[in-house]
Amino acid sequence: MAAPSTPLLKDELDIVIPTIRNLDFLEMWRPFFEQYHLIIVQDGDPSKVIKVPEGFDYELYNRNDINRILGPKASCISFKDSACRCFGYMVSKKKYIYTIDDDCFVAKDPSGKDINALQQHIENLLSPSTPLFFNTLYDPYREGADFVRGYPFSLREGVPTAVSHGLWLNIPDYDAPTQLVKPHAVMTIPKGTIFPMCGMNLGFNRDLIGPAMYFGLMGDGQPIGRYDDMWAGWCTKVICDHLNLGVKTGLPYIWHSKASNPFVNLKKEYKGIYWQEEIIPFFQAVTLPKECTTVQQCYLELAKQVKAKLSATDPYFTKLADAMVTWIEAWDELNPTGDVAAKLPNGGVAK
């Protein structure tokens, strides 16, 4: 799929990339990314020079920049973990965000054409979601799809889409028949259902849900890593459900060529693997009061409940809950007019 001459949302979308290495992978994405603004969040040693291919419009932040901009509140931004990407969400001034990892490449559709993942995310975000009633033809707003018989006409307008969660292929791990039968569909995740969000191929409406996209405390100095996107996904979905916003998953695919070591990853993840058996029931049961009508209010209430109900699992959750509050304080300092309520449907009143 060729990129249009003037791409969709060219001046309304930032691409956020966390990295510790030179960004040679952007060459493959050049036809699709070159006209957009990039925010690069450099993890690890701030003295290392990250090389970005010529021709891209970007700003780059390292740990020294994060400390300078946020001061003491920089403690809420993870170090030595891709969770640092959420700093890019905070400093962006655009309505939409697309975030991608530096080990993700352009996938091909069954006909062999390159998939413009960014364009598909934008199409997902610009069309409504249907969280209140499942459509068995998946996303009814996609070309060639529609609402099925029995779908309530009163719900066919849908709700605004806040999140577009893309998937991935790892071509060496799939044989050709498997690649061909991978589902090429988009669906809305039903209200009341949480999901495992992956942050490496993700689009969202920053105006609608940005303050909830905090990737937690992970990595250096923390007992857990690689659960940053999961945490953000659980929090975001609970808040989207409360504020009557939609989350889509499915297309677009990217090709993920994993750069990390699985044995190192297991060491980072093992506590999360145990803890999630308590974390997931917490998010499945959590409710937010109707008085919470903005994303910030919802998130602060969620932080309060995390501290009250998960701290017994491990003292880490007390620290995480405090960091969630710090994150919102830092977000509001950098985005002083960023009261999300004014941009939510019905003034952000919970349904």
Side-chain angles (χ1 to χ4, degrees):
M1 186 187 298
S5 54
T6 302
L8 288 168
L9 304 181
K10 175 183 178 295
D11 299 316
E12 297 181 72
L13 181 144
D14 279 333
I15 300 173
V16 175
I17 305 168
T19 193
I20 57 171
R21 57 181 64 86
N22 294 336
L23 295 181
D24 301 328
F25 91 113
L26 284 172
E27 287 294 354
M28 180 178 275
W29 288 102
R30 187 179 292 276
F32 306 131
F33 288 3
E34 192 171 25
Q35 296 189 57
Y36 290 91
H37 179 68
L38 312 181
I39 297 178
I40 300 164
V41 184
Q42 178 180 344
D43 198 13
D45 183 2
S47 67
K48 180 179 177 180
V49 176
I50 299 292
K51 294 179 181 177
V52 181
E54 292 288 331
F56 287 93
D57 171 38
Y58 71 93
E59 53 193 295
L60 187 149
Y61 298 92
N62 61 32
R63 192 70 203 186
N64 294 338
D65 300 313
I66 294 171
N67 291 338
R68 172 177 51 83
I69 292 167
L70 295 184
K73 292 184 175 64
S75 62
C76 73
I77 304 298
S78 298
F79 185 57
K80 294 186 178 178
D81 192 281
S82 65
C84 67
R85 79 178 76 222
C86 62
F87 178 77
Y89 311 159
M90 184 185 284
V91 297
S92 171
K93 301 303 176 189
K94 303 290 179 62
K95 182 175 181 179
Y96 298 96
I97 296 288
Y98 174 56
T99 186
I100 185 172
D101 284 4
D102 59 15
D103 58 356
C104 294
F105 300 92
V106 177
K108 294 186 182 294
D109 68 17
S111 70
K113 292 181 181 177
D114 286 349
I115 296 172
N116 184 347
L118 178 54
Q119 184 174 319
Q120 177 65 59
H121 276 294
I122 291 170
E123 290 172 4
N124 291 347
L125 290 167
L126 293 181
S127 61
S129 293
T130 54
L132 302 178
F133 199 93
F134 188 77
N135 189 55
T136 51
L137 276 182
Y138 305 125
D139 188 347
Y141 308 102
R142 280 177 54 79
E143 185 177 348
D146 209 334
F147 292 98
V148 295
R149 181 172 60 89
Y151 200 98
F153 285 90
S154 60
L155 296 177
R156 294 191 181 196
E157 285 187 8
V159 304
T161 300
V163 180
S164 171
H165 178 248
L167 301 177
W168 56 94
L169 300 168
N170 192 345
I171 292 174
D173 286 346
Y174 290 118
D175 55 32
T178 303
Q179 290 178 44
L180 289 171
V181 299
K182 279 281 179 184
H184 288 267
V186 178
M187 65 183 75
T188 297
I189 300 173
K191 184 172 183 176
T193 300
I194 60 172
F195 73 110
M197 188 175 84
C198 176
M200 70 183 175
N201 176 27
L202 180 72
F204 62 92
N205 184 321
R206 183 178 178 277
D207 282 1
L208 288 183
I209 201 63
M213 278 289 180
Y214 176 47
F215 276 47
L217 283 180
M218 303 282 156
D220 193 53
Q222 309 303 333
I224 186 174
R226 292 176 51 81
Y227 267 78
D228 51 332
D229 44 7
M230 299 286 182
W231 184 262
W234 296 328
C235 293
T236 294
K237 184 57 166 62
V238 166
I239 293 173
C240 281
D241 285 352
H242 179 74
L243 296 176
N244 208 30
L245 300 170
V247 177
K248 292 184 179 182
T249 189
L251 297 178
Y253 287 114
I254 48 87
W255 171 30
H256 184 213
S257 179
K258 201 168 188 68
S260 53
N261 183 308
F263 297 102
V264 173
N265 290 347
L266 179 61
K267 186 177 179 181
K268 293 177 180 178
E269 291 176 0
Y270 80 94
K271 284 198 173 181
I273 293 169
Y274 288 105
W275 287 348
Q276 72 183 16
E277 300 306 314
E278 296 184 46
I279 297 170
I280 290 172
F282 164 77
F283 280 105
Q284 289 173 324
V286 72
T287 58
L288 300 173
K290 63 182 180 181
E291 291 76 21
C292 291
T293 58
T294 71
V295 175
Q296 284 95 328
Q297 289 169 351
C298 290
Y299 203 76
L300 292 173
E301 172 64 24
L302 205 47
K304 188 170 109 179
Q305 295 194 38
V306 166
K307 179 176 280 192
K309 297 179 181 178
L310 289 178
S311 290
T313 301
D314 193 274
Y316 164 76
F317 290 99
T318 300
K319 189 176 179 182
L320 176 56
D322 290 340
M324 293 168 71
V325 174
T326 302
W327 160 265
I328 293 296
E329 291 171 351
W331 181 284
D332 286 346
E333 281 184 15
L334 290 186
N335 301 276
T337 58
D339 185 354
V340 177
K343 299 163 186 174
L344 287 167
N346 304 315
V349 177
K351 297 291 185 183

Coordinates of all heavy atoms in Angstrom, one line a residue, residues 13-81:
L13 N -0.3 14.1 14.2 CA 0.2 12.9 14.8 C 1.7 12.9 15.0 O 2.4 13.3 14.1 CB -0.3 11.7 13.9 CG 0.1 10.3 14.3 CD1 -1.0 9.3 13.9 CD2 1.4 9.8 13.7
D14 N 2.1 12.4 16.1 CA 3.5 12.2 16.4 C 3.8 10.7 16.5 O 3.0 9.9 17.0 CB 4.0 12.8 17.8 CG 4.2 14.3 17.7 OD1 4.6 14.8 16.6 OD2 4.1 15.0 18.7
I15 N 5.0 10.3 16.0 CA 5.4 8.9 16.1 C 6.5 8.8 17.2 O 7.5 9.5 17.2 CB 6.0 8.4 14.8 CG1 5.0 8.4 13.6 CG2 6.6 7.0 14.9 CD1 5.6 8.1 12.3
V16 N 6.2 8.0 18.2 CA 7.1 7.9 19.4 C 7.8 6.6 19.4 O 7.2 5.5 19.2 CB 6.3 8.0 20.7 CG1 7.2 7.8 21.9 CG2 5.6 9.4 20.8
I17 N 9.2 6.7 19.5 CA 10.0 5.5 19.4 C 11.0 5.5 20.6 O 11.8 6.4 20.7 CB 10.9 5.6 18.1 CG1 9.9 5.7 16.9 CG2 11.7 4.3 18.0 CD1 10.7 6.0 15.6
P18 N 10.9 4.5 21.4 CA 11.9 4.3 22.5 C 13.1 3.5 21.9 O 12.9 2.6 21.1 CB 11.2 3.5 23.5 CG 10.2 2.7 22.8 CD 9.9 3.4 21.5
T19 N 14.3 3.8 22.3 CA 15.4 3.1 21.6 C 16.7 3.2 22.5 O 16.9 4.1 23.3 CB 15.7 3.7 20.2 OG1 16.6 2.8 19.5 CG2 16.4 5.1 20.3
I20 N 17.6 2.3 22.3 CA 19.0 2.3 22.8 C 20.0 2.2 21.7 O 21.2 2.1 21.9 CB 19.2 1.1 23.8 CG1 19.0 -0.2 23.1 CG2 18.3 1.3 25.0 CD1 19.4 -1.4 24.0
R21 N 19.5 2.2 20.4 CA 20.4 1.9 19.3 C 20.1 2.9 18.1 O 19.1 3.6 18.1 CB 20.3 0.5 18.8 CG 18.8 0.1 18.4 CD 18.7 -1.4 18.0 NE 19.0 -2.3 19.1 CZ 18.1 -2.7 20.0 NH1 16.9 -2.3 20.0 NH2 18.5 -3.5 21.0
N22 N 21.0 2.8 17.1 CA 20.8 3.6 15.9 C 19.5 3.2 15.2 O 19.2 2.0 15.2 CB 22.0 3.5 15.0 CG 23.3 4.0 15.6 OD1 23.3 4.9 16.4 ND2 24.4 3.5 15.1
L23 N 18.9 4.1 14.6 CA 17.5 3.9 14.1 C 17.6 3.6 12.6 O 16.8 4.1 11.8 CB 16.6 5.1 14.4 CG 16.4 5.3 15.9 CD1 15.4 6.4 16.1 CD2 15.8 4.0 16.5
D24 N 18.4 2.6 12.2 CA 18.5 2.2 10.8 C 17.1 1.6 10.3 O 16.8 1.6 9.1 CB 19.6 1.2 10.6 CG 20.9 1.7 11.0 OD1 21.2 2.9 10.9 OD2 21.8 0.9 11.5
F25 N 16.4 1.1 11.3 CA 15.1 0.4 10.9 C 14.1 1.4 10.2 O 13.2 1.0 9.5 CB 14.4 -0.2 12.1 CG 13.5 0.7 12.9 CD1 12.1 0.4 12.9 CD2 13.9 1.8 13.5 CE1 11.2 1.2 13.6 CE2 13.0 2.6 14.3 CZ 11.7 2.3 14.3
L26 N 14.4 2.7 10.4 CA 13.5 3.7 9.8 C 13.6 3.8 8.3 O 12.7 4.2 7.6 CB 13.8 5.1 10.4 CG 13.3 5.4 11.8 CD1 13.9 6.8 12.3 CD2 11.8 5.4 11.8
E27 N 14.7 3.3 7.7 CA 14.8 3.3 6.3 C 13.7 2.5 5.6 O 13.1 2.9 4.6 CB 16.2 2.7 5.9 CG 17.4 3.6 6.1 CD 17.3 4.9 5.3 OE1 16.4 5.0 4.4 OE2 18.1 5.8 5.5
M28 N 13.3 1.3 6.2 CA 12.3 0.5 5.7 C 10.9 1.2 5.8 O 10.0 1.1 4.9 CB 12.2 -0.8 6.4 CG 11.1 -1.7 5.9 SD 11.0 -3.4 6.6 CE 12.2 -4.2 5.6
W29 N 10.8 2.1 6.8 CA 9.5 2.8 7.1 C 9.5 4.1 6.4 O 8.4 4.8 6.5 CB 9.3 3.0 8.6 CG 9.0 1.7 9.3 CD1 9.8 1.0 10.1 CD2 7.7 1.0 9.4 NE1 9.1 -0.1 10.6 CE2 7.8 -0.1 10.2 CE3 6.5 1.3 8.8 CZ2 6.8 -1.0 10.4 CZ3 5.4 0.4 9.0 CH2 5.6 -0.7 9.8
R30 N 10.5 4.5 5.7 CA 10.6 5.9 5.1 C 9.4 6.3 4.3 O 8.9 7.4 4.4 CB 11.9 6.0 4.3 CG 12.1 7.4 3.8 CD 13.4 7.6 3.0 NE 14.6 7.4 3.8 CZ 15.2 8.3 4.5 NH1 14.7 9.6 4.5 NH2 16.3 8.1 5.2
P31 N 8.9 5.4 3.4 CA 7.8 5.8 2.6 C 6.5 6.2 3.4 O 5.7 6.9 3.0 CB 7.5 4.6 1.7 CG 8.7 3.8 1.7 CD 9.4 4.0 3.1
F32 N 6.4 5.6 4.6 CA 5.2 5.8 5.4 C 5.4 6.8 6.6 O 4.5 7.4 7.0 CB 4.8 4.4 6.0 CG 4.6 3.4 5.0 CD1 5.2 2.1 5.2 CD2 3.9 3.6 3.8 CE1 5.0 1.1 4.2 CE2 3.7 2.6 2.9 CZ 4.3 1.4 3.1
F33 N 6.7 7.0 7.0 CA 6.9 7.8 8.2 C 7.6 9.2 7.9 O 7.5 10.1 8.7 CB 7.9 7.1 9.2 CG 7.3 5.9 9.9 CD1 6.0 5.5 9.7 CD2 8.1 5.2 10.8 CE1 5.5 4.4 10.4 CE2 7.6 4.2 11.5 CZ 6.3 3.7 11.3
E34 N 8.2 9.3 6.7 CA 9.1 10.4 6.5 C 8.4 11.8 6.6 O 9.0 12.8 7.0 CB 9.7 10.3 5.1 CG 10.9 11.3 4.9 CD 11.6 11.1 3.7 OE1 11.1 10.5 2.7 OE2 12.8 11.4 3.6
Q35 N 7.1 11.9 6.3 CA 6.4 13.2 6.4 C 5.8 13.5 7.8 O 5.2 14.5 8.0 CB 5.3 13.2 5.3 CG 5.8 13.1 3.9 CD 4.8 13.4 2.9 OE1 4.1 14.5 2.9 NE2 4.5 12.4 2.0
Y36 N 6.0 12.6 8.7 CA 5.5 12.8 10.1 C 6.6 13.2 11.0 O 7.8 13.0 10.7 CB 4.8 11.5 10.6 CG 3.6 11.1 10.0 CD1 3.6 10.3 8.8 CD2 2.3 11.6 10.4 CE1 2.4 9.9 8.2 CE2 1.1 11.3 9.8 CZ 1.2 10.4 8.7 OH 0.0 10.1 8.1
H37 N 6.3 13.8 12.1 CA 7.2 14.2 13.2 C 7.5 13.0 14.1 O 6.5 12.4 14.6 CB 6.6 15.4 14.0 CG 7.5 15.9 15.0 ND1 8.8 16.5 14.8 CD2 7.4 15.8 16.4 CE1 9.3 16.8 15.9 NE2 8.5 16.4 16.9
L38 N 8.7 12.8 14.4 CA 9.1 11.7 15.3 C 9.5 12.3 16.7 O 10.2 13.3 16.8 CB 10.3 10.9 14.8 CG 10.2 10.4 13.3 CD1 11.5 9.6 13.0 CD2 9.0 9.6 13.0
I39 N 9.2 11.6 17.8 CA 9.7 11.9 19.1 C 10.5 10.6 19.5 O 9.9 9.5 19.7 CB 8.6 12.2 20.1 CG1 7.9 13.5 19.7 CG2 9.2 12.3 21.5 CD1 6.7 13.8 20.6
I40 N 11.8 10.7 19.6 CA 12.6 9.6 20.0 C 13.0 9.7 21.5 O 13.5 10.8 21.9 CB 13.9 9.6 19.1 CG1 13.5 9.5 17.6 CG2 14.8 8.5 19.5 CD1 14.6 9.8 16.7
V41 N 12.7 8.7 22.2 CA 13.1 8.7 23.7 C 14.2 7.7 23.8 O 14.1 6.5 23.7 CB 11.9 8.3 24.5 CG1 12.3 8.4 26.0 CG2 10.7 9.2 24.3
Q42 N 15.4 8.3 24.1 CA 16.6 7.4 24.2 C 16.7 6.9 25.6 O 16.8 7.6 26.6 CB 17.9 8.3 23.9 CG 19.2 7.5 24.0 CD 20.4 8.3 23.7 OE1 20.3 9.4 23.0 NE2 21.6 7.9 24.1
D43 N 16.8 5.6 25.7 CA 17.0 4.9 27.0 C 18.5 4.6 27.2 O 19.3 4.7 26.3 CB 16.2 3.6 27.0 CG 15.9 3.1 28.4 OD1 16.1 3.8 29.4 OD2 15.5 1.9 28.5
G44 N 18.8 4.3 28.4 CA 20.2 3.9 28.7 C 21.1 5.1 28.8 O 20.7 6.2 29.2
D45 N 22.4 4.9 28.4 CA 23.4 5.9 28.6 C 23.1 7.2 27.7 O 23.1 7.1 26.5 CB 24.8 5.3 28.1 CG 26.0 6.2 28.2 OD1 25.8 7.3 28.7 OD2 27.1 5.8 27.8
P46 N 22.9 8.3 28.4 CA 22.6 9.5 27.7 C 23.8 10.1 26.9 O 23.6 10.9 26.0 CB 22.2 10.5 28.8 CG 22.8 10.0 30.0 CD 22.9 8.5 29.9
S47 N 25.0 9.6 27.1 CA 26.1 10.1 26.4 C 26.3 9.4 25.0 O 27.0 9.9 24.2 CB 27.4 10.0 27.2 OG 27.7 8.6 27.4
K48 N 25.6 8.3 24.8 CA 25.7 7.6 23.6 C 24.9 8.4 22.5 O 23.9 9.0 22.7 CB 25.0 6.2 23.7 CG 25.1 5.4 22.4 CD 24.4 4.0 22.6 CE 24.4 3.3 21.3 NZ 23.8 1.9 21.4
V49 N 25.5 8.5 21.3 CA 24.9 9.2 20.2 C 24.1 8.3 19.4 O 24.6 7.2 18.9 CB 26.0 9.9 19.3 CG1 25.4 10.5 18.1 CG2 26.8 10.9 20.1
I50 N 22.8 8.6 19.3 CA 21.9 7.8 18.5 C 21.8 8.4 17.1 O 21.5 9.5 16.9 CB 20.5 7.8 19.1 CG1 20.5 7.1 20.5 CG2 19.5 7.0 18.2 CD1 20.8 5.7 20.5
K51 N 22.1 7.6 16.1 CA 22.1 8.0 14.7 C 20.7 7.8 14.1 O 20.1 6.7 14.2 CB 23.2 7.3 13.9 CG 24.6 7.7 14.3 CD 25.6 6.9 13.5 CE 27.0 7.3 14.0 NZ 28.0 6.5 13.2
V52 N 20.2 8.9 13.5 CA 18.9 8.8 12.8 C 19.1 9.1 11.3 O 19.8 10.0 11.0 CB 17.9 9.9 13.4 CG1 16.5 9.8 12.7 CG2 17.8 9.7 14.9
P53 N 18.5 8.3 10.5 CA 18.7 8.5 9.0 C 18.4 9.9 8.6 O 17.5 10.5 9.2 CB 17.8 7.4 8.4 CG 17.7 6.4 9.4 CD 17.7 7.1 10.7
E54 N 19.0 10.4 7.6 CA 18.7 11.7 7.0 C 17.3 11.8 6.5 O 16.7 10.8 6.1 CB 19.7 12.0 5.9 CG 21.2 12.2 6.3 CD 21.4 13.5 7.0 OE1 20.7 14.5 6.8 OE2 22.3 13.5 7.9
G55 N 16.7 13.0 6.6 CA 15.5 13.3 6.0 C 14.3 13.2 6.9 O 13.1 13.5 6.5
F56 N 14.5 12.7 8.2 CA 13.4 12.6 9.1 C 13.3 13.8 10.0 O 14.4 14.3 10.5 CB 13.5 11.3 10.0 CG 13.2 10.1 9.2 CD1 14.2 9.3 8.6 CD2 11.9 9.6 9.1 CE1 14.0 8.2 7.9 CE2 11.6 8.4 8.4 CZ 12.7 7.7 7.8
D57 N 12.1 14.3 10.3 CA 11.9 15.4 11.2 C 11.7 14.8 12.6 O 10.7 14.1 12.9 CB 10.7 16.2 10.8 CG 10.2 17.2 11.8 OD1 11.1 17.8 12.4 OD2 9.0 17.4 12.0
Y58 N 12.6 15.1 13.6 CA 12.5 14.5 14.9 C 13.0 15.4 16.0 O 13.8 16.3 15.7 CB 13.3 13.2 14.9 CG 14.8 13.3 14.8 CD1 15.5 13.3 16.0 CD2 15.4 13.4 13.6 CE1 16.9 13.4 15.9 CE2 16.8 13.5 13.5 CZ 17.5 13.5 14.7 OH 18.9 13.6 14.7
E59 N 12.6 15.1 17.2 CA 13.2 15.6 18.4 C 13.6 14.4 19.2 O 12.9 13.3 19.2 CB 12.3 16.5 19.2 CG 10.9 15.9 19.5 CD 9.9 17.0 20.0 OE1 10.2 17.5 21.1 OE2 8.9 17.2 19.3
L60 N 14.8 14.5 19.9 CA 15.3 13.3 20.7 C 15.5 13.8 22.1 O 16.1 14.8 22.4 CB 16.6 12.8 20.1 CG 17.2 11.5 20.7 CD1 18.0 10.8 19.6 CD2 18.1 11.8 21.9
Y61 N 15.0 12.9 23.1 CA 15.2 13.2 24.5 C 15.9 12.0 25.1 O 15.6 10.8 24.9 CB 13.8 13.3 25.2 CG 13.0 14.4 24.7 CD1 12.0 14.2 23.6 CD2 13.1 15.7 25.2 CE1 11.3 15.3 23.2 CE2 12.3 16.8 24.8 CZ 11.4 16.5 23.7 OH 10.6 17.6 23.3
N62 N 17.0 12.3 25.9 CA 17.6 11.3 26.7 C 17.3 11.5 28.2 O 16.5 12.4 28.5 CB 19.1 11.3 26.4 CG 19.8 12.6 26.8 OD1 19.4 13.3 27.7 ND2 20.9 12.9 26.0
R63 N 18.0 10.7 29.0 CA 17.6 10.8 30.4 C 17.9 12.1 31.0 O 17.2 12.6 31.9 CB 18.4 9.7 31.2 CG 17.9 9.5 32.6 CD 16.5 8.9 32.6 NE 15.8 9.2 33.8 CZ 14.6 8.6 34.1 NH1 14.0 7.8 33.3 NH2 13.9 8.9 35.2
N64 N 19.0 12.8 30.6 CA 19.3 14.1 31.1 C 18.2 15.1 30.7 O 17.9 16.0 31.5 CB 20.7 14.6 30.5 CG 21.8 13.8 31.0 OD1 21.8 13.1 32.0 ND2 22.9 13.8 30.2
D65 N 17.7 15.0 29.5 CA 16.6 15.9 29.1 C 15.3 15.6 30.0 O 14.6 16.6 30.4 CB 16.2 15.6 27.7 CG 17.3 15.9 26.7 OD1 18.0 17.0 26.9 OD2 17.6 15.1 25.8
I66 N 15.0 14.3 30.3 CA 13.9 14.0 31.1 C 14.0 14.6 32.5 O 13.1 15.2 33.0 CB 13.7 12.5 31.1 CG1 13.3 11.9 29.7 CG2 12.6 12.1 32.2 CD1 13.3 10.4 29.6
N67 N 15.2 14.5 33.1 CA 15.5 15.0 34.4 C 15.4 16.5 34.4 O 14.8 17.1 35.3 CB 16.9 14.6 34.9 CG 16.9 13.1 35.2 OD1 15.9 12.5 35.4 ND2 18.1 12.6 35.2
R68 N 15.9 17.2 33.3 CA 15.8 18.6 33.2 C 14.4 19.1 33.1 O 14.0 20.1 33.7 CB 16.6 19.1 32.0 CG 16.5 20.6 31.7 CD 17.4 20.9 30.5 NE 17.2 20.1 29.4 CZ 16.3 20.2 28.5 NH1 15.4 21.2 28.6 NH2 16.2 19.4 27.4
I69 N 13.6 18.4 32.3 CA 12.2 18.9 32.0 C 11.3 18.6 33.2 O 10.4 19.5 33.5 CB 11.7 18.3 30.7 CG1 12.5 18.8 29.5 CG2 10.2 18.5 30.5 CD1 12.3 18.0 28.2
L70 N 11.4 17.5 33.8 CA 10.5 17.1 34.9 C 11.0 17.3 36.3 O 10.2 17.3 37.2 CB 10.1 15.6 34.7 CG 9.3 15.2 33.4 CD1 9.0 13.7 33.5 CD2 8.1 16.0 33.2
G71 N 12.3 17.5 36.4 CA 12.8 17.7 37.8 C 12.5 16.5 38.7 O 12.7 15.4 38.2
P72 N 12.1 16.7 39.9 CA 11.9 15.6 40.8 C 10.8 14.6 40.3 O 10.9 13.4 40.6 CB 11.4 16.2 42.1 CG 11.9 17.6 42.0 CD 11.9 18.0 40.6
K73 N 9.9 15.1 39.5 CA 8.9 14.2 38.9 C 9.4 13.2 37.9 O 8.7 12.3 37.5 CB 7.7 15.0 38.4 CG 6.9 15.8 39.5 CD 5.8 16.5 38.9 CE 4.9 17.2 40.0 NZ 5.6 18.2 40.7
A74 N 10.6 13.4 37.5 CA 11.2 12.4 36.5 C 11.3 11.0 37.1 O 11.5 10.0 36.4 CB 12.6 12.9 36.1
S75 N 11.1 10.9 38.4 CA 11.2 9.6 39.0 C 10.1 8.7 38.5 O 10.2 7.5 38.7 CB 11.0 9.7 40.6 OG 9.8 10.3 40.9
C76 N 9.0 9.2 37.9 CA 7.9 8.4 37.4 C 8.2 7.8 36.1 O 7.5 6.9 35.6 CB 6.6 9.2 37.4 SG 6.5 10.4 36.1
I77 N 9.3 8.2 35.4 CA 9.7 7.7 34.1 C 10.7 6.6 34.2 O 11.8 6.8 34.8 CB 10.2 8.8 33.2 CG1 9.2 10.0 33.1 CG2 10.6 8.3 31.8 CD1 7.9 9.6 32.4
S78 N 10.4 5.4 33.7 CA 11.3 4.3 33.9 C 12.6 4.5 33.1 O 12.7 5.3 32.2 CB 10.6 3.0 33.3 OG 9.4 2.8 34.1
F79 N 13.6 3.7 33.6 CA 15.0 3.8 33.0 C 15.4 2.3 32.7 O 15.1 1.4 33.5 CB 15.9 4.4 34.0 CG 17.3 4.6 33.5 CD1 17.5 5.4 32.4 CD2 18.4 4.1 34.2 CE1 18.8 5.6 32.0 CE2 19.7 4.3 33.8 CZ 19.9 5.1 32.6
K80 N 16.0 2.2 31.6 CA 16.4 0.9 31.1 C 15.2 -0.1 30.9 O 15.2 -1.2 31.3 CB 17.5 0.2 32.0 CG 18.8 1.0 32.0 CD 19.9 0.3 32.8 CE 21.2 1.1 32.8 NZ 22.3 0.5 33.6
D81 N 14.2 0.5 30.3 CA 13.0 -0.3 30.0 C 12.3 0.6 28.9 O 12.2 1.8 29.0 CB 12.1 -0.5 31.2 CG 11.0 -1.6 30.9 OD1 10.0 -1.2 30.3 OD2 11.2 -2.7 31.3

